[in-house]
Amino acid sequence: MPRTTTLECPGCPPLRALTFDSLGLIKVIESRGERGTPQVVERWGDPVSSKCVLAASFDDRKKDPLLAVARKNRVVEVVNPLNGEIHVMLSNVGEDGVQPEDDAISGLHLFRRKRSSGSCTLLTCTSKGNASMRSIGIDKSTDDSANISVTKTWKLCGSGNVLCSKVDGSENYAVFGGRKGVEVNLWDLENSTKIWTAKPPPKNSLGIFTPTWFTCTTFLSNDDHHKFVAGTNSHQVHLYDISAQRRPVLSFDFRETAIKAVTEDQDGHTIYIGNGSGDLASFDMRTGKLLGCFIGKCSGSIRSIARHPELPVIASCGLDSYLRLWDTKTRQLLSAVFLKQHLTNVVFDSNFVYKEVAATARNANGIQTTEVQTEDEMGTLPVKRKKASKGKREKKKKSEERKETIVVESKKKSQKHKREICDDS
């Protein structure tokens, strides 16, 4: 039997999250009210395994937000995150005839600062190290009128696989990492040049060299591109500082399974780590100290962690098909939503606002009154009760029959007793 969480969940503050799964579905989860229960309010797409979402990037600005999604068949979609409408759909298949499964998309970023009215810029990276930047013009007046132009293409590595990438807060630098000789390296996106690369680890005491297998990476702060954190398949976490040295300035182990997801906090020194056995913890990267593990163990590998930009909440999802929301201060589980499919990514919509709808009515005396209805009350559906099983129904019927027989027997005894008293008198 899988491990499940049995803790009481106090509920979540008002928030909106988007999840992506292995069948290509995009699900919108909203929590309404001060301590509401998150629920699935919308589902976009059709369940197709070839459309599995590998990467997602979200520009959650208040005006004209955009969402970019990279799928397993090497198709990149630019979607309206408010209604699920697809603005642009472009194929990332190269002219060399490489099959999609041989060179899947491993990194995706939708630029926020380079956006202008009616256009956006996308950075994509494949597992074979093919990186490209595309400028996409979107005309809302007509449907199929996107103007796509490739501005830059370059090669990240000659051999090996690129498995993870991250763009810094200024969107001028990006870090890439992978396996089979692909160490973490930093690139200048303006000039498409490599400015720093990590040094391979030394040989062990037996003289055996073991290359590093990087699985995830993130910058420690949005304002500084010199420091970044990388997780490895050998359950290690490395902190790199390009201004200090080429090898990690801080390294530590976390449990005994591969590090699968890492994200940074807004304070600039705290990170959140999730591994392949469902463990979630926070670390202080100034000292490498474990701040604490989050209460309520997941029952599957964690594949994505997202930090809410404003609320003290993080979200985690993975192969156990649950979206879990946690309090960053107490590290307690706020709520969990079962979403049926294996989840690959999760993002927050920081501009979601919970609104109360005021309904005006007149009472019997003709006085105008105002009733405030929450969105939960308006959208609540009647809950269908489950029918009891056949065995339970039979047990209930037998218990009722026993009660009836006991009542009848007690009545007969009382009547017999009364007759005996009358005969004696």
Side-chain angles (χ1 to χ4, degrees):
M1 295 293 292
R3 294 169 291 180
T4 57
T5 301
T6 58
L7 298 176
E8 294 183 359
C9 301
C12 297
L15 56 83
R16 183 174 187 259
L18 285 80
T19 61
F20 313 88
D21 58 42
S22 59
L23 293 183
L25 299 176
I26 303 176
K27 296 180 181 179
V28 182
I29 294 90
E30 291 183 1
S31 173
R32 303 168 182 176
E34 291 299 324
R35 285 296 173 184
T37 302
Q39 295 179 351
V40 179
V41 296
E42 288 186 82
R43 193 190 81 167
W44 304 329
D46 298 323
V48 181
S49 60
S50 62
K51 293 185 178 180
C52 171
V53 177
L54 302 179
S57 182
F58 189 24
D59 182 8
D60 59 342
R61 59 176 62 185
K62 291 185 178 180
K63 185 180 180 181
D64 297 332
L66 284 180
L67 172 68
V69 177
R71 301 187 180 273
K72 186 178 180 180
N73 55 2
R74 290 188 68 181
V75 172
V76 180
E77 298 175 356
V78 179
V79 184
N80 185 347
L82 302 179
N83 54 20
E85 179 185 357
I86 299 177
H87 291 314
V88 180
M89 182 184 297
L90 57 99
S91 176
N92 202 48
V93 179
E95 299 178 355
D96 53 357
V98 178
Q99 298 296 327
E101 56 269 15
D102 296 335
D103 196 13
I105 298 176
S106 60
L108 176 69
H109 182 75
L110 177 63
F111 287 88
R112 298 168 177 84
R113 301 191 179 187
K114 295 183 179 181
R115 276 190 60 185
S116 58
S117 59
S119 66
C120 64
T121 304
L122 278 175
L123 170 66
T124 59
C125 172
T126 66
S127 60
K128 297 295 183 181
N130 299 312
S132 63
M133 291 181 65
R134 291 179 173 88
S135 178
I136 303 173
I138 304 172
D139 189 1
K140 298 182 180 180
S141 59
T142 57
D143 293 335
D144 300 328
S145 58
N147 183 16
I148 304 172
S149 61
V150 180
T151 57
K152 296 179 183 178
T153 57
W154 68 94
K155 191 75 173 176
L156 295 173
C157 58
S159 61
N161 300 113
V162 177
L163 302 179
C164 56
S165 65
K166 183 71 174 181
V167 178
D168 74 323
S170 65
E171 297 185 329
N172 294 323
Y173 303 93
V175 61
F176 301 92
R179 62 173 183 168
K180 296 182 179 179
V182 181
E183 298 289 333
V184 284
N185 48 84
L186 190 69
W187 286 73
D188 184 355
L189 297 179
E190 290 291 334
N191 302 318
S192 302
T193 56
K194 184 191 297 186
I195 60 176
W196 183 89
T197 184
K199 193 174 182 179
K203 297 180 180 179
N204 59 14
S205 58
L206 299 177
I208 300 174
F209 170 71
T210 304
T212 311
W213 183 338
F214 294 97
T215 56
C216 53
T217 182
T218 186
F219 285 93
L220 194 59
S221 173
N222 289 329
D223 301 329
D224 185 13
H225 69 276
H226 293 87
K227 296 181 180 180
F228 55 89
V229 180
T232 69
N233 197 57
S234 56
H235 55 86
Q236 291 182 335
V237 180
H238 300 313
L239 172 63
Y240 291 92
D241 187 355
I242 66 172
S243 59
Q245 60 187 27
R246 292 178 58 192
R247 284 204 171 114
V249 295
L250 178 66
S251 296
F252 56 86
D253 292 349
F254 177 60
R255 302 296 169 90
E256 297 179 355
T257 55
I259 308 297
K260 292 296 184 179
V262 60
T263 191
E264 76 283 357
D265 196 89
Q266 296 160 351
D267 58 9
H269 55 79
T270 303
I271 62 169
Y272 304 97
I273 296 173
N275 66 4
S277 59
D279 299 298
L280 182 63
S282 58
F283 283 85
D284 187 348
M285 295 308 295
R286 294 173 296 185
T287 60
K289 180 182 177 182
L290 173 65
L291 299 179
C293 294
F294 285 76
I295 304 172
K297 186 169 179 70
C298 304
S299 57
S301 174
I302 297 175
R303 294 306 172 95
S304 179
I305 304 173
R307 173 70 163 87
H308 197 283
E310 299 176 359
L311 301 174
V313 176
I314 65 169
S316 68
C317 66
L319 300 186
D320 63 349
S321 304
Y322 273 93
L323 170 67
R324 287 180 168 86
L325 300 166
W326 314 80
D327 190 336
T328 58
K329 297 179 179 179
T330 62
R331 290 187 289 276
Q332 290 186 348
L333 180 66
L334 297 178
S335 188
V337 186
F338 182 64
L339 298 175
K340 297 182 181 179
Q341 285 82 27
H342 294 171
L343 303 177
T344 58
N345 284 278
V346 59
V347 294
F348 276 116
D349 185 359
S350 61
N351 293 315
F352 173 73
V353 179
Y354 170 72
K355 296 181 180 179
E356 294 181 341
V357 182
T360 304
R362 292 182 180 275
N363 58 13
N365 299 326
I367 301 175
Q368 186 172 347
T369 58
T370 302
E371 297 179 355
V372 177
Q373 292 181 325
T374 63
E375 294 183 1
D376 279 340
E377 295 172 348
M378 297 175 64
T380 303
L381 297 176
V383 179
K384 185 178 180 181
R385 295 183 179 179
K386 294 182 178 180
K387 293 183 178 180
S389 61
K390 187 177 180 180
K392 290 184 179 179
R393 290 199 300 268
E394 290 179 355
K395 288 182 181 179
K396 189 176 181 181
K397 188 176 180 180
K398 288 180 181 180
S399 63
E400 291 177 354
E401 290 177 355
R402 288 173 185 170
K403 289 180 181 178
E404 291 178 357
T405 54
I406 292 171
V407 172
V408 172
E409 289 177 358
S410 62
K411 286 183 179 180
K412 288 182 180 180
K413 287 182 181 179
S414 62
Q415 290 177 359
K416 186 178 180 180
H417 184 64
K418 286 181 181 180
R419 287 174 187 171
E420 292 176 354
I421 293 173
C422 293
D423 291 341
D424 294 339
S425 61

